[in-house]
Amino acid sequence: MSPEMNPASGFNQLRQIESSKIFQTLVITIIILSALTIGAKTYDLPVLVEQSLTVMDNAITVFFLIEILFRFSASPVKRRFLLDGWNLFDTLVVIGSLIPLDNSEAVLLGRLLRVFRVLRLVSVVPELRFLINSLLKAIPRMGYIALLMFIIFYIYAAMGSMFFASVDDKLWGDVAIAMLTLFRVATFEDWTDVMYATMEQYPLSWIYYLTFIFLTAFVFLNMMIGAILEVMSEEQNAKEAQKAHDERDEITRQLQGVQQQLEELTRQVAGRDRE
């Protein structure tokens, strides 16, 4: 079988095109163009411009459909293509984009899925995909930190409701309202106004606010950042280890190929000697 007709050679060409910088840049450009098209449709535009944007949107949808089919063809194991979360997300977004916008029952769903096409930029850019994967894997650790933070919020909210309800019932009337007020304090949204109002009746109430801010804004925030950085470091080490493993496998395959060529040459030379 000639090299031009070899299926493995054609598959390798598809893989090279799919992983090439030109192809990736083209996809990123189309995604950005799609985002600009979606944003432009939120303005009052002339009829001709709206029609042009509709034609462009349809062309972008067709491009994404062809692109996802091309990636499926370049996938080494077709049955495992949708097992990858990013491939599944891209496929659902592309299929959802095929919903016609003139269908009144599905127009909202179609528009939402077209907005989600901007998120495809995350699945295309490896660095962004690495950040999202690290964030998702850090959620379990962050969950325990969030639980501890909720306990601190609840304790301080209960204390604030008991002491400061007489100062301002709208801010400290019950535990739920007090927790919203504490969230305002934690985000530094005019928190000094809340503190000075309570200090008129309780001069030492500043201790309450400063300790709460120290725990939430400094301790727990740094714990969240530390958990994310730790997961990112683990992911980076795993990525480098996988890269080194792939390089060793590639070198092993090359050595095996060289060994097979040497064995073939040895057999050819031995055959000529017998002749």
Side-chain angles (χ1 to χ4, degrees), residues 153-198:
F153 261 83
Y154 188 84
I155 292 173
Y156 272 81
M159 294 170 55
S161 180
M162 287 188 294
F163 288 103
F164 306 142
S166 59
V167 177
D168 192 337
D169 187 67
K170 293 182 179 180
L171 296 178
W172 306 99
D174 53 50
V175 173
I177 296 298
M179 290 184 71
L180 291 176
T181 303
L182 288 176
F183 184 80
R184 170 183 172 182
V185 173
T187 55
F188 302 108
E189 178 62 29
D190 293 333
W191 70 278
T192 54
D193 295 340
V194 180
M195 181 182 66
Y196 291 144
T198 57

Side-chain angles (χ1 to χ4, degrees), residues 46-63:
V47 177
L48 181 60
V49 176
E50 289 185 356
Q51 293 176 350
S52 301
L53 290 177
T54 301
V55 173
M56 186 180 298
D57 182 80
N58 294 333
I60 291 172
T61 301
V62 172
F63 173 84

Side-chain angles (χ1 to χ4, degrees), residues 16-187:
Q16 291 177 358
I17 295 174
E18 193 266 341
S19 61
S20 65
K21 292 292 184 181
I22 297 177
F23 182 79
Q24 298 295 330
T25 302
L26 176 62
V27 174
I28 292 174
T29 302
I30 297 300
I31 292 174
I32 295 175
L33 183 62
S34 173
L36 296 177
T37 302
I38 293 171
K41 287 185 176 181
T42 61
Y43 295 92
D44 293 330
L45 300 172
V47 177
L48 181 60
V49 176
E50 289 185 356
Q51 293 176 350
S52 301
L53 290 177
T54 301
V55 173
M56 186 180 298
D57 182 80
N58 294 333
I60 291 172
T61 301
V62 172
F63 173 84
F64 283 148
L65 179 61
I66 296 174
E67 183 254 343
I68 202 70
L69 293 175
F70 181 82
R71 285 171 51 192
F72 177 77
S73 301
S75 177
V77 183
K78 304 295 189 295
R79 291 174 297 179
R80 298 179 60 88
F81 180 78
L82 293 180
L83 295 180
D84 184 276
W86 293 111
N87 291 337
L88 178 61
F89 171 77
D90 291 344
T91 303
L92 292 177
V93 170
V94 171
I95 293 176
S97 298
L98 298 177
I99 298 176
L101 292 181
D102 54 357
N103 185 348
S104 59
E105 296 181 356
V107 62
L108 181 58
L109 179 60
R111 289 177 177 176
L112 285 176
L113 290 174
R114 278 167 168 77
V115 172
F116 286 141
R117 288 193 309 199
V118 182
L119 283 176
R120 293 204 57 213
L121 192 64
V122 177
S123 64
V124 173
V125 181
E127 289 77 10
L128 294 178
R129 193 164 59 241
F130 171 76
L131 292 176
I132 295 299
N133 288 335
S134 299
L135 180 60
L136 292 176
K137 291 185 178 181
I139 287 178
R141 304 183 188 183
M142 294 169 60
Y144 291 107
I145 300 174
L147 178 60
L148 182 57
M149 184 183 295
F150 173 80
I151 294 173
I152 297 299
F153 261 83
Y154 188 84
I155 292 173
Y156 272 81
M159 294 170 55
S161 180
M162 287 188 294
F163 288 103
F164 306 142
S166 59
V167 177
D168 192 337
D169 187 67
K170 293 182 179 180
L171 296 178
W172 306 99
D174 53 50
V175 173
I177 296 298
M179 290 184 71
L180 291 176
T181 303
L182 288 176
F183 184 80
R184 170 183 172 182
V185 173
T187 55

Side-chain angles (χ1 to χ4, degrees), residues 194-223:
V194 180
M195 181 182 66
Y196 291 144
T198 57
M199 285 180 62
E200 293 179 359
Q201 187 170 342
Y202 300 96
L204 295 179
S205 62
W206 59 270
I207 300 176
Y208 170 88
Y209 294 98
L210 293 185
T211 55
F212 175 77
I213 290 174
F214 176 79
L215 287 174
T216 56
F218 298 117
V219 176
F220 289 114
L221 179 61
N222 287 328
M223 290 174 66

